[in-house]
């Protein structure tokens, strides 16, 4: 639910931000970025509203955690485990 909501919001915001520039300067965007922005145009209103509601629920949950008096909320920065340093 969190990952889907975050992805939906990220794509919707990217589409809103880049729509005009993409139309005017499409060749200057990389193929991978163009593909993601093209996909972002397909987000429907129902999915966006669901994602916004999920964000509100998650925000309230995090606020409640901070109300318990914790000093820090430590989370991973990536969804995957980093490779060992000597794996380069």
């Amino acid at each position: 639910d969190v990952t889907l909501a975050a992805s939906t919001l990220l794509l919707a915001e990217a589409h809103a931000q880049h729509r005009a520039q993409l139309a005017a300067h499409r060749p200057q965007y990389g193929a991978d970025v163009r593909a993601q922005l093209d996909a972002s145009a397909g987000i429907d209103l129902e999915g966006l509203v669901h994602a916004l509601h999920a964000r509100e629920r998650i925000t309230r949950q995090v606020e409640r955690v901070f109300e318990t008096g914790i000093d820090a909320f430590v989370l991973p920065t990536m969804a995957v485990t980093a490779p060992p340093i000597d794996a380069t």
Side-chain angles (χ1 to χ4, degrees), residues 46-57:
E46 182 179 348
L48 180 58
V49 169
H50 176 75
L52 289 167
H53 287 179
R55 180 173 64 184
E56 287 301 316
R57 283 192 309 276

Side-chain angles (χ1 to χ4, degrees), residues 5 7 11 13 19 24 29 36 57 59 62 69-70 74 77 87-88:
S7 296
L11 287 171
E13 290 171 355
R19 182 181 56 215
Y29 283 80
Q36 286 196 354
R57 283 192 309 276
T59 299
V62 170
I70 65 168
V74 181
T77 57
T88 57

Side-chain angles (χ1 to χ4, degrees), residues 7-8 17 25-26 31 38-39 41 44 46-47 49-50 65 69 86 88:
S7 296
T8 300
Q17 183 67 32
H25 305 285
R26 187 172 184 82
D38 289 343
D44 66 338
E46 182 179 348
V49 169
H50 176 75
V65 169
D86 61 354
T88 57

